[in-house]
């Protein structure tokens, strides 16, 4: 079994897990003491994927009570071991109810905190959301959100033009990682936000002012600042191959964070479904508003990894890094790679990067029951 760690592939390793943690990663066989588990291949072992932007899937909506639990179980089959339930801008009472629902200690992937996608966003870049719930930064509203949240809000998407430098600094002092998104910020405004403490970009290219050679916009700022973590929805629809490759080329330190941005109707049969005050139409490969605008994705994180390997010409280890270690690092969690001492939140994948087994805290919580491909199926198909 090979081990993916730090964007590199370590061939033929033996991994030992005990008490919820990885206790050894060794090139030679290890005798497992009693109570320890040896994780073995064939395939590739990586730190479990972390989805920092997921609203729901298969009808489960993180903003409704009791639905984080079934979503957490569903995410295991993607190799996801941790996630940030992502809530969207809504009227204050609905926002408070959603923040109290988006939590728990579920039996599937771990809840690592909450991602608040708003409400301090630009009405000029609403994406699919109705902009009437967007606001300028409001400290009282922020305090109400914190008080309502059952899991800490550890990540917030903000529009640079909705906050002053001091307000960005105050949010950072509250321990929140800030991500630039749903923004019509100019290049200069975006750079000022990065200088003030915004360290991330939300779904790069989508719902932000695009690139023009005389008006580089927020996209230009992301391309110019390779030290900023950039979310990418690699479903083949939200971003075309060339801009995805251009973004990756600006990030020599691996600051591409694959996200699903999946919405509750993802994985449901074709039809119309209500969500976030809109009617979403699910067809064979996309989720759209009746106007045709994309409305969140149906992407799974493991499919994003496989597309990253193909589109970005990334090695398997580099593609896995974008879904496991880069998302962790982007929200301030240990980015040190798969080594002794880290939590045994792991995914074992086959050579085509389809998950075979997912462990959380050293316990196998999901296992693929049947081979995904028969022997003569085209390899790399997705
Ligand atoms: Zn979203």
């Amino acid at each position: 079994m090979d081990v993916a760690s730090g964007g590199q592939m370590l061939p033929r390793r033996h991994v030992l897990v005990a008490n919820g943690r990885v206790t050894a990663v060794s090139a030679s066989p290890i005798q497992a003491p009693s109570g320890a588990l040896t994780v073995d291949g064939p395939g590739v072992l990586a730190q479990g994927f972390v989805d920092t932007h997921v609203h729901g899937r298969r009808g489960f909506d993180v903003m409704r009570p009791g639905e984080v639990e079934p979503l957490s179980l569903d995410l295991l089959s993607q190799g996801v071991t941790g996630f940030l339930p992502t809530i969207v801008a809504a009227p204050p009472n609905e926002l408070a109810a959603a923040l109290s629902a988006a939590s728990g200690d579920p039996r599937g992937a771990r809840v690592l905190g909450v991602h608040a996608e708003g409400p301090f966003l630009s009405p000029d870049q609403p994406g699919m959301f109705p902009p009437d719930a967007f606001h300028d930064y409001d400290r009282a509203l922020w305090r109400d959100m914190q008080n309502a949240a059952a899991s800490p809000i550890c990540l917030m998407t903000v529009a640079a033009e909705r906050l002053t430098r001091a307000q960005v600094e105050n949010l950072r002092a509250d321990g929140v990682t800030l991500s630039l998104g749903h923004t019509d910020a100019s290049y200069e405004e975006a750079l000022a936000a990065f200088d003030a403490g915004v360290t991330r970009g939300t779904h790069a290219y989508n719902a932000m002012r695009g690139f023009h050679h005389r008006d580089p916009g927020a996209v230009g700022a992301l391309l110019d600042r390779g030290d900023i973590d950039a979310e990418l929805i690699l479903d083949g629809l939200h971003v075309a191959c060339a801009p995805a490759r251009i973004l990756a080329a600006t990030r020599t330190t691996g600051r591409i964070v694959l996200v699903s941005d999946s919405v509750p109707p993802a994985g449901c049969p074709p039809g119309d479904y209500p969500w976030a005050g809109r009617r979403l139409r699910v067809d064979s490969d996309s989720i759209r508003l009746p106007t045709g605008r994309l409305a969140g994705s149906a992407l799974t994180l493991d499919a994003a990894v496989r597309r990253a390997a193909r589109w970005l010409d990334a090695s398997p280890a580099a593609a896995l890094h974008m879904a496991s270690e880069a998302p962790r690092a982007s929200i301030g969690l240990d980015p040190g790679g798969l080594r002794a001492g880290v939590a045994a939140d792991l995914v074992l994948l086959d050579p085509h990067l389809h998950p075979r087994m997912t462990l959380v805290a050293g316990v196998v919580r999901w296992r693929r029951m049947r081979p995904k491909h028969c022997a003569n199926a085209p390899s790399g198909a997705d």
Side-chain angles (χ1 to χ4, degrees):
M1 177 184 73
D2 297 340
V3 163
S5 177
Q8 305 293 321
M9 198 65 85
L10 311 173
R12 292 181 298 285
R13 289 300 196 269
H14 303 266
V15 173
L16 210 59
V17 165
N19 300 320
R21 308 201 84 79
V22 173
T23 53
V25 178
S26 167
S28 43
I30 324 162
Q31 192 65 41
S34 76
L37 171 75
T38 307
V39 184
D40 227 331
V44 179
L45 189 71
Q47 280 192 291
F49 302 153
V50 168
D51 196 347
T52 54
H53 194 150
V54 51
H55 302 285
R57 186 168 176 78
R58 290 199 197 282
F60 305 125
D61 180 347
V62 301
M63 295 175 69
R64 288 200 300 245
E67 302 198 5
V68 162
E69 168 82 20
L71 175 67
S72 80
L73 293 167
D74 187 76
L75 293 175
L76 294 172
S77 65
Q78 303 177 24
V80 171
T81 58
F83 67 112
L84 301 183
T86 303
I87 59 104
V88 301
N93 56 331
E94 289 175 33
L95 198 55
L99 283 163
S100 95
S103 71
D105 183 16
R107 289 171 295 138
R110 297 179 198 254
V111 173
L112 300 174
V114 166
H115 177 176
E117 192 174 11
F120 311 127
L121 306 177
S122 165
D124 295 324
Q125 295 284 353
M128 65 152 289
F129 302 124
D132 44 0
F134 293 178
H135 299 270
D136 278 328
Y137 177 74
D138 174 338
R139 186 139 188 95
L141 176 57
W142 166 238
R143 285 284 171 239
D144 289 346
M145 288 172 65
Q146 282 185 303
N147 291 336
S151 286
I153 301 169
C154 67
L155 177 62
M156 183 151 63
T157 294
V158 295
E161 62 273 39
R162 288 292 208 172
L163 296 92
T164 65
R165 181 182 186 98
Q167 290 163 346
V168 167
E169 289 169 352
N170 284 340
L171 284 168
R172 294 289 294 135
D174 284 342
V176 185
T177 298
L178 297 175
S179 197
L180 182 69
H182 291 278
T183 178
D184 202 39
S186 66
Y187 170 82
E188 290 78 11
E189 287 170 318
L191 283 197
F194 296 152
D195 289 342
V198 174
T199 57
R200 253 176 142 268
T202 295
H203 39 56
Y205 294 109
N206 296 111
M208 57 180 62
R209 193 193 292 191
F211 179 82
H212 184 278
H213 57 287
R214 281 190 293 274
D215 177 14
V219 166
L222 273 183
L223 294 174
D224 201 21
R225 286 286 301 267
D227 58 322
I228 299 296
D229 294 298
E231 287 185 4
L232 197 53
I233 308 173
L234 222 48
D235 63 350
L237 298 168
H238 279 75
V239 179
C241 183
R245 291 174 70 90
I246 291 167
L247 185 75
T250 63
R251 272 146 175 81
T252 53
T253 50
R255 292 186 181 274
I256 295 278
V257 176
L258 297 177
V259 295
S260 71
D261 198 5
S262 76
V263 291
C268 293
D272 286 358
Y273 299 85
W275 184 64
R278 297 288 167 108
R279 182 146 291 278
L280 273 51
R281 181 156 298 161
V282 174
D283 63 27
S284 57
D285 70 344
S286 68
I287 301 177
R288 297 175 187 273
L289 298 177
T291 58
R293 176 191 276 270
L294 287 169
S297 90
L299 181 64
T300 60
L301 216 48
D302 60 313
V305 168
R306 293 189 293 275
R307 185 169 279 107
R310 295 198 306 276
W311 277 21
L312 308 181
D313 203 19
S315 68
L320 290 164
H321 182 271
M322 296 174 194
S324 59
E325 292 158 59
R328 280 182 175 79
S330 80
I331 54 170
L333 301 178
D334 177 12
L338 206 174
R339 65 186 192 288
V342 299
D345 294 357
L346 304 169
V347 56
L348 180 68
L349 306 109
D350 70 19
H352 305 298
L353 301 180
H354 290 276
R356 296 177 52 215
M357 187 169 80
T358 305
L359 296 89
V360 179
V363 175
V364 177
R365 292 197 177 177
W366 175 85
R367 200 188 285 270
R368 196 164 81 209
M369 300 312 283
R370 273 175 287 128
K372 193 111 177 174
H373 295 293
C374 50
N376 56 0
S379 65
D382 194 350

